[in-house]
């Protein structure tokens, strides 16, 4: 059976950041990912990040992904693509299927699960018609494969994903017929919504899709207004032309591997649902199993990278590559940047939620 010191599952923002830190500090690191390209969501994000210089303000997502990948490989980490992990077993044994379709069993001293999140679906009459897809699928088609799904798109959901992808549709030469939001206000950052409004995109709050229609593919949708109790308002229906319906109604952490290896979970709706308990070092309730990024609760790429770095440092410390004093200094720098991301209107509730997760994890260990 092959062995490795540190196995990182997921080559997205969190996984690559963790790999860079752990390898830099001396650990032997293997990163595996089921996709044929590393970088997770970063490589299809053409927009510039904003915030502070510490958080890559002004740098485009794919450039951040390239830098993370180059750093991880430059520090000595190995990256294996087209490799699917299907189970984590006792004694840190990991089952996977490789690019050649061969089953492989590997044992790792430390495991970091950085599998990200999956987009939520939305059921409505006509939702199985060709042309109805997730906003992430639209972004992948446009930014990776240079294919515009349709000339006209209806975007469902006004969180940051919906707002950013809508603007990227416009940049690609498409039209966003309307953005439909069931809530009373836009869910994402105002700066993104303002760009859409200036571009002439109608943002219909307190509206939802009643149905999509078409013969062999989507040709249009019927939207309907909602009252304060989120009930349809009879007689408010409107038909809108569209060849694509992009659904951006939230994300759910991909944490099935943490379930399989026995990690304890808690339910935090604002972080996407069930999330693994972890301590301040990102270690779960199963010793030696760490978690980072959206699989710990949905936030954003900058937070995922910082959590990955935190997990990478903690793993290197646990393996004896750095002293506790050195680790504290390194982790404190990361935590300062992470705390900065969890302030303000959108960040404060995430900070409170993460604090509750850490506290619940302490209670679990003590009991």
């Amino acid at each position: 059976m092959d062995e490795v010191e540190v196995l990182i599952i997921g080559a997205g923002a969190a996984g690559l950041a963790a790999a860079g830190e752990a390898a830099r500090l001396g650990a032997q690191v293997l990163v595996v990912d089921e996709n044929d390209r590393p970088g997770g969501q970063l490589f299809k994000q053409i927009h510039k990040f904003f915030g502070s210089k510490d958080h890559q303000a002004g740098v485009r997502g794919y450039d951040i992904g390239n830098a993370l990948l180059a750093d991880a490989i430059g520090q000595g980490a190995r990256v294996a693509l087209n490799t699917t992990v299907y189970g984590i077993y006792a004694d840190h044994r990991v089952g996977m299927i490789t690019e050649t379709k061969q089953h492989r069993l590997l044992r790792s001293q430390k495991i970091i699960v950085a599998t990200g999140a999956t987009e939520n679906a939305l059921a409505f009459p006509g939702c199985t018609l060709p042309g109805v897809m997730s906003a992430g699928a639209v972004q992948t088609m446009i930014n990776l494969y240079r294919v515009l799904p349709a000339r006209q798109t209806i975007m469902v959901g006004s969180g940051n994903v919906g707002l950013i992808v809508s603007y990227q549709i416009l940049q690609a030469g498409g039209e966003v017929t309307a953005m439909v939001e069931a809530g009373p206000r836009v869910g994402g950052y105002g700066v993104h919504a303002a760009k859409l409004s200036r571009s002439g995109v109608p943002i219909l709050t307190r509206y939802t899709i009643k149905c999509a229609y078409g013969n062999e593919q989507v040709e249009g949708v019927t939207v309907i207004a909602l009252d304060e109790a989120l009930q349809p308002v009879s007689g408010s229906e409107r038909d809108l032309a569209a060849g694509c319906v992009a659904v951006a109604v939230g994300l759910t952490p991909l944490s099935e591997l943490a379930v399989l290896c026995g990690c304890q979970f808690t339910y935090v709706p604002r972080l996407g649902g069930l999330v693994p308990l972890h301590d301040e070092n990102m270690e779960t309730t199963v010793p030696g199993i760490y978690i980072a990024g959206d699989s710990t609760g949905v936030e954003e790429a900058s937070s995922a990278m910082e959590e990955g770095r935190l997990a990478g440092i903690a793993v290197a410390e646990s393996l004896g590559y750095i002293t506790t004093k050195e680790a504290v200094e390194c982790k404190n720098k990361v935590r300062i940047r992470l705390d900065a991301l969890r302030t303000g209107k959108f960040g404060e509730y995430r900070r409170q939620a993460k604090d509750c997760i850490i506290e619940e994890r302490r209670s679990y260990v003590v009991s």
Side-chain angles (χ1 to χ4, degrees), residues 80-236:
L81 302 175
N82 294 306
T83 301
T84 301
V85 173
Y86 57 78
I88 302 175
Y89 308 106
D91 300 325
H92 292 183
R93 290 176 297 123
V94 178
M96 59 183 71
I97 302 175
T98 66
E99 184 174 10
T100 58
K101 306 303 179 184
Q102 292 182 330
H103 289 265
R104 180 185 179 191
L105 197 59
L106 179 146
R107 179 180 285 116
S108 180
Q109 293 183 44
K110 307 291 178 181
I111 299 171
I112 299 176
V113 178
T115 44
T118 186
E119 293 180 272
N120 296 335
L122 182 67
F124 51 86
C127 67
T128 58
L129 281 170
V132 179
M133 63 188 75
S134 70
V138 173
Q139 191 179 45
T140 299
M141 292 177 70
I142 292 175
N143 294 344
L144 288 184
Y145 301 108
R146 306 296 190 264
V147 175
L148 189 64
R151 186 174 62 84
Q152 295 175 305
T153 297
I154 296 289
M155 181 62 69
V156 184
S158 68
N160 286 324
V161 171
L163 294 169
I164 290 171
V165 174
S166 291
Y167 191 69
Q168 290 173 357
I169 291 171
L170 301 181
Q171 289 178 305
E175 175 188 341
V176 179
T177 307
M179 170 171 279
V180 180
E181 169 58 52
R185 61 186 66 86
V186 169
Y189 292 131
V191 64
H192 298 319
K195 288 193 296 185
L196 289 181
S197 295
R198 289 196 300 268
S199 300
V201 176
I203 300 177
L204 308 178
T205 55
R206 289 200 187 281
Y207 266 85
T208 191
I209 285 188
K210 182 177 181 180
C211 68
Y213 53 84
N215 292 321
E216 296 183 356
Q217 64 182 53
V218 173
E219 297 174 7
V221 302
T222 300
V223 298
I224 188 168
L226 301 173
D227 60 22
E228 292 186 358
L230 297 180
Q231 296 302 307
V233 178
S234 180
S236 65

Side-chain angles (χ1 to χ4, degrees), residues 214-274:
N215 292 321
E216 296 183 356
Q217 64 182 53
V218 173
E219 297 174 7
V221 302
T222 300
V223 298
I224 188 168
L226 301 173
D227 60 22
E228 292 186 358
L230 297 180
Q231 296 302 307
V233 178
S234 180
S236 65
E237 292 89 348
R238 298 168 57 181
D239 286 340
L240 301 173
C244 173
V245 178
V247 178
V249 291
L251 302 168
T252 297
L254 278 170
S255 48
E256 292 88 345
L257 289 174
V259 173
L260 289 174
C261 65
C263 296
Q264 295 297 310
F265 280 68
T266 189
Y267 185 70
V268 186
R270 285 189 168 185
L271 292 179
L274 284 171

